Amino acid sequence: MKFLSYVLALAVVLASFAPQADAGRRKRRRGSDVPSALRGGKAVQKRHNRQANADDLTRLEKRDDLERFIDLGLLVPVDDTRSYYLDSIGGHDPGHEDLYRHARPWTKRFLDKELSVVRTKFGHRSKLTSFVRTDTYQGRICRSGNGAAICGGDWWEQSLHLTGATVDISKEGMSRKTLAWMRKRLVQLQRQSLVSAIEERGAFHVFVRKAYGKAAKRPTKAQKPKKAEKKKRHRRARR
């Protein structure tokens, strides 16, 4: 009888752990959807800041710097389009929200090109939640208790939003197919050294490299002349 009681008690204990184990497996399965190339961490943050240094990008410290960069055309305005719309941005600097709706020209080009594909392929209009920030603005976010914000003091802990080249693309409303395409595309662009991206809990954090703008400006190869045009040229040559 004692042995039977022991077995029954053990079965009850094991059964109580089963739901937790299943939940853990489900959590691991969900987490595994994120490609290793899009995961963050200390080493990734260091690498991304080194890339920003290699691109010779200034980190903006205060609002005066932000206004100067806008006046010089180093940052361009980003407005709603058919492919994307801006969520509430600039809320930590009341009265100056429009200043934070700017980005580097190549970052704007990235949004227009890549998110128009998302709109065409999947009918999804992307939500953008953050662009340029200043160090002062980042400090306000940190003091607000936002656990996702980069708030350290070391050089590698600087947020790439301070460069104006970074955008947060919300995952809200994205279908599984859209998410899969975004992951695949960002990894592809990252391998080409055109972006550096991190998939966060609710958004894709994308630092767009200067090279993206240069790649977009490359002239297309001249098309081969059609047969009829070839014949005309041949007749002219014979004359």
Side-chain angles (χ1 to χ4, degrees), residues 41-61:
K42 181 177 178 179
V44 173
Q45 190 68 19
K46 284 185 176 181
R47 184 171 70 249
H48 290 185
N49 268 283
R50 288 193 185 101
Q51 291 169 346
N53 292 341
D55 282 355
D56 197 26
L57 295 180
T58 302
R59 274 71 161 184
L60 303 179
E61 294 185 8

Side-chain angles (χ1 to χ4, degrees), residues 175-235:
S175 65
R176 292 178 66 86
K177 287 184 178 180
T178 308
L179 279 171
W181 186 90
M182 282 290 295
R183 289 165 178 152
K184 183 177 180 180
R185 180 58 175 159
L186 289 174
V187 170
Q188 181 185 44
L189 291 172
Q190 191 160 260
R191 286 172 180 165
Q192 297 173 27
S193 298
L194 298 179
V195 307
S196 292
I198 298 172
E199 182 173 346
E200 300 172 338
R201 180 179 297 177
F204 290 101
H205 171 91
V206 186
F207 166 56
V208 185
R209 305 290 306 276
K210 268 186 179 178
Y212 188 95
K214 294 176 182 177
K217 289 181 179 179
R218 283 180 195 155
T220 56
K221 292 183 179 179
Q223 293 182 348
K224 294 182 179 180
K226 295 180 180 180
K227 289 184 179 180
E229 184 62 27
K230 281 185 177 180
K231 288 180 180 178
K232 287 181 182 179
R233 291 181 184 178
H234 182 64
R235 283 198 296 269

Side-chain angles (χ1 to χ4, degrees), residues 3-234:
F3 178 76
L4 181 59
S5 300
Y6 173 77
V7 171
L8 290 172
L10 181 61
V12 171
V13 172
L14 292 175
S16 67
F17 280 106
Q20 297 177 27
D22 289 341
R25 281 193 292 271
R26 286 195 298 272
K27 185 176 181 180
R28 284 193 294 274
R29 281 198 296 270
R30 285 196 297 270
S32 65
D33 290 340
V34 180
S36 58
L38 298 182
R39 293 175 186 168
K42 181 177 178 179
V44 173
Q45 190 68 19
K46 284 185 176 181
R47 184 171 70 249
H48 290 185
N49 268 283
R50 288 193 185 101
Q51 291 169 346
N53 292 341
D55 282 355
D56 197 26
L57 295 180
T58 302
R59 274 71 161 184
L60 303 179
E61 294 185 8
K62 51 189 179 180
R63 191 193 303 141
D64 289 347
D65 298 327
L66 177 54
E67 291 174 336
R68 180 167 57 87
F69 268 53
I70 292 172
D71 290 340
L72 291 171
L74 299 175
L75 293 167
V76 298
V78 184
D79 298 311
D80 294 353
T81 71
R82 291 184 68 256
S83 301
Y84 57 79
Y85 67 97
L86 282 61
D87 194 30
S88 53
I89 293 175
H92 290 278
D93 191 3
H96 302 93
E97 291 88 351
D98 287 348
L99 293 176
Y100 302 90
R101 295 180 168 226
H102 288 75
R104 295 284 187 170
W106 57 88
T107 303
K108 173 72 161 54
R109 194 173 295 121
F110 163 84
L111 293 171
D112 291 340
K113 183 177 179 181
E114 303 298 334
L115 297 187
S116 67
V117 176
V118 173
R119 173 78 173 185
T120 301
K121 288 177 69 70
F122 306 104
H124 176 73
R125 190 176 184 219
S126 302
K127 180 169 81 170
L128 310 180
T129 58
S130 186
F131 294 110
V132 65
R133 299 173 188 165
T134 63
D135 188 55
T136 301
Y137 190 92
Q138 188 73 11
R140 292 176 181 174
I141 295 177
C142 291
R143 288 191 292 275
S144 72
N146 187 332
I150 301 296
C151 303
D154 291 334
W155 67 269
W156 59 270
E157 292 178 308
Q158 289 182 299
S159 169
L160 272 296
H161 284 285
L162 274 57
T163 67
T166 301
V167 59
D168 288 342
I169 304 171
S170 174
K171 295 193 289 185
E172 182 180 321
M174 286 189 180
S175 65
R176 292 178 66 86
K177 287 184 178 180
T178 308
L179 279 171
W181 186 90
M182 282 290 295
R183 289 165 178 152
K184 183 177 180 180
R185 180 58 175 159
L186 289 174
V187 170
Q188 181 185 44
L189 291 172
Q190 191 160 260
R191 286 172 180 165
Q192 297 173 27
S193 298
L194 298 179
V195 307
S196 292
I198 298 172
E199 182 173 346
E200 300 172 338
R201 180 179 297 177
F204 290 101
H205 171 91
V206 186
F207 166 56
V208 185
R209 305 290 306 276
K210 268 186 179 178
Y212 188 95
K214 294 176 182 177
K217 289 181 179 179
R218 283 180 195 155
T220 56
K221 292 183 179 179
Q223 293 182 348
K224 294 182 179 180
K226 295 180 180 180
K227 289 184 179 180
E229 184 62 27
K230 281 185 177 180
K231 288 180 180 178
K232 287 181 182 179
R233 291 181 184 178
H234 182 64

